[in-house]
Amino acid sequence: MNTLRDEVGRTHTYLRLSVTDRCNLRCTYCMPAEGIALRPHHEILTFDEIERIVRIAAGLGVTKLRLTGGEPLVRRDLLILAGRLTAIAGIQHVGLTTNGVLLGENLHGLVRAGISSINISLDTLRRDRFRAITRRDEFDSVLSNIDLALRSAIPRIKINVVVMRGTNDDELPQFVDFARERRLMVRFIEYMPFKDNGWSAETMVPFEEMKSRIENLVELIPLPERNRHTSTKVFSIAGGTGTIGFITAMSDHFCGTCNRLRLTADGRLRPCLMDAHEIDLRSTLRSGAGIEALQEILAQAIRVKPQGHRLGQAQSPRDRTMAQIGG
Ligand code: SAM
C-alpha cells in the first residue's frame, strides 16, 4: 500500500538518489569552472544508510529508484550499492543517470546489478563544442560508451540534451538523426535556472519552438503516454528506429502528476527540485531513530511538497547547483 499520497492526490512511487556531489565534468550550465564546495565524506550518506532509507521508502510504496549525482559512477563501489538496491523487495526499477565518461568499464557490472535503464547526458555531437560545454576532453569516450551501452543488455537507453540558445540549439537536426538510427530516445531538456549556471530567459528554447524547428525537417508522431507520471512528451520519427522526447519543466510543468522525491547525497529530502525546502533526514537517521520516526520524515516531505513550482519567475530557487541537488 502506498502511504506517500499528498492532499492533492499525488502518490509518490519514485525516489531519486544522489549518491555523490562530485563530478568528473564541469558542464557550464551545471557548475562553475572551479567546481563546487564539496561536502566532507562524513556528511555523505553511507551505503547502509541509503539502503535503510530505500527499504523504508519501499515499505511506503516506492517502486522506482534512480541513481544520480554529481556523477554517480565516481562514487566508489557504486555497483555494490546498485545490487543492494535492486534486491530490495518492492523495488521494481532502478535507473542510472550518468555523463557516460566511466560507463564502458561499468556496463557489465550495471547489467549484473539489475539496472534497467541508463540516461546518458550528451549536449553536442561536436568534439570542440563538447570540450567548451563540459570543460573536459571526454567526447570520444562518451560516444564510444554510448555504442557499448546500445550493444549491452540494458533495456532502455536515453540521451539527455540540455538545449541552450546560441550554444547547441543548431544541433537539433543532428540529434534527430542520432535517434533515427539507434535504439534510444533523445530527450531535449529545457534549460533550467540553478545557482550560478548562467541561465537567462533568452537562452531557454521552449518546447514548442524546438518541436516546430524539428517538424520543419521530419514528421514527428506523438506517442501515447505509457506512464502517467512522465515528465517527457514522446514522439516517434517517421521511418526511424529511436524516439524523441521533450522535458518541458519550464514551459509546461508536470507538477500535477509529479510522483518524485529526491534524496541529496548529504541526506536531505527535497520534495521538489525547484523549491529550496529540504528536510534533514541524515540527522534523524544518525540519531538512532527507529523506523517510525524515519517513516514520519518521508510523510512530512509529502506534506510540505508544493503543488506546483514557479520556474521561470523571479522566485526560481538558486540555492544549490543541480550537481548538489542531484539531477
Ligand atoms: N552526472 C550525471 C549526468 O551528467 O547525467 C548526473 C547528474 S546531472 C546533474 C543530471 C541531469 O541534469 C543531466 O542530464 C543534466 O544535463 C541535467 N541538468 C543539469 N543542469 C541542468 C539545467 N540547468 N537545466 C536542465 N537540465 C540540467
Side-chain angles (χ1 to χ4, degrees):
M1 203 200 54
N2 192 300
T3 41
L4 298 177
R5 191 176 160 86
D6 69 10
E7 59 179 17
V8 291
R10 296 176 299 186
T11 303
H12 294 79
T13 52
Y14 185 10
L15 179 60
R16 295 176 66 99
L17 299 165
S18 174
V19 294
T20 179
D21 52 357
R22 286 155 208 264
C23 191
N24 45 359
L25 299 182
R26 290 285 177 275
C27 301
T28 51
Y29 57 82
C30 191
M31 54 161 101
E34 64 280 10
I36 50 171
L38 297 171
R39 296 276 178 222
H41 279 295
H42 70 269
E43 289 187 11
I44 301 296
L45 294 184
T46 64
F47 286 179
D48 285 346
E49 289 169 336
I50 294 172
E51 184 180 345
R52 179 144 190 245
I53 294 167
V54 170
R55 283 189 189 282
I56 290 169
L60 296 173
V62 165
T63 57
K64 180 175 169 181
L65 306 175
R66 177 158 296 277
L67 302 172
T68 181
E71 170 50 39
L73 291 175
V74 303
R75 174 96 191 233
R76 190 181 305 157
D77 294 332
L78 181 81
L79 300 178
I80 293 176
L81 176 68
R84 283 168 66 172
L85 299 181
T86 54
I88 292 175
I91 297 299
Q92 297 163 11
H93 174 106
V94 182
L96 172 80
T97 298
T98 173
N99 58 34
V101 173
L102 300 173
L103 188 56
E105 65 215 66
N106 284 293
L107 262 173
H108 290 305
L110 290 166
V111 171
R112 262 200 316 275
I115 293 290
S116 38
S117 74
I118 301 185
N119 296 352
I120 306 165
S121 300
L122 178 68
D123 304 304
T124 177
L125 294 166
R126 289 172 38 176
R127 183 177 297 107
D128 57 333
R129 205 173 256 183
F130 183 96
R131 196 179 178 149
I133 295 175
T134 67
R135 303 186 178 109
R136 296 288 185 274
D137 200 5
E138 296 285 0
F139 179 75
D140 292 335
S141 37
V142 173
L143 224 60
S144 69
N145 287 340
I146 291 174
D147 278 342
L148 290 174
L150 289 170
R151 280 187 263 133
S152 78
I154 298 287
R156 279 191 286 151
I157 311 285
K158 295 176 189 166
I159 305 297
N160 284 344
V161 186
V162 178
V163 179
M164 295 161 283
R165 196 182 306 283
T167 298
N168 63 349
D169 63 322
D170 57 339
E171 291 189 64
L172 291 172
Q174 285 77 9
F175 273 110
V176 171
D177 285 342
F178 196 79
R180 195 204 309 267
E181 294 153 8
R182 294 170 175 81
R183 64 149 188 112
L184 50 71
M185 183 194 299
V186 168
R187 300 196 304 178
F188 296 118
I189 305 178
E190 288 178 345
Y191 183 18
M192 294 183 271
F194 287 100
K195 187 168 184 254
D196 303 330
N197 82 338
W199 183 92
S200 68
E202 302 72 51
T203 51
M204 201 272 289
V205 187
F207 158 62
E208 288 295 351
E209 179 185 334
M210 290 192 255
K211 179 164 166 279
S212 75
R213 281 167 63 177
I214 293 171
E215 282 179 327
N216 286 336
L217 307 167
V218 290
E219 186 190 354
L220 290 181
I221 304 146
L223 293 175
E225 280 174 18
R226 280 190 310 163
N227 164 6
R228 76 178 190 86
H229 300 293
T230 186
S231 58
T232 314
K233 298 176 171 55
V234 184
F235 298 81
S236 66
I237 313 158
T241 307
T243 52
I244 295 290
F246 298 90
I247 300 190
T248 61
M250 299 294 295
S251 66
D252 180 14
H253 66 69
F254 23 84
C255 306
T257 56
C258 181
N259 65 341
R260 294 147 190 239
L261 280 177
R262 288 183 152 79
L263 182 64
T264 65
D266 56 351
R268 293 171 173 274
L269 268 179
R270 185 157 176 134
C272 170
L273 173 64
M274 295 305 163
D275 186 272
H277 191 100
E278 293 177 351
I279 300 161
D280 179 8
L281 186 53
R282 189 188 68 213
S283 299
T284 313
L285 196 62
R286 292 187 180 172
S287 71
I291 179 166
E292 274 148 33
L294 295 168
Q295 285 173 330
E296 172 49 27
I297 302 249
L298 283 157
Q300 189 192 341
I302 302 302
R303 284 197 297 273
V304 302
K305 178 165 172 153
Q307 293 185 12
H309 65 63
R310 299 179 294 266
L311 254 196
Q313 299 172 24
Q315 307 93 316
S316 298
R318 312 272 176 113
D319 61 316
R320 296 229 229 186
T321 65
M322 188 74 144
Q324 287 167 320
I325 302 166

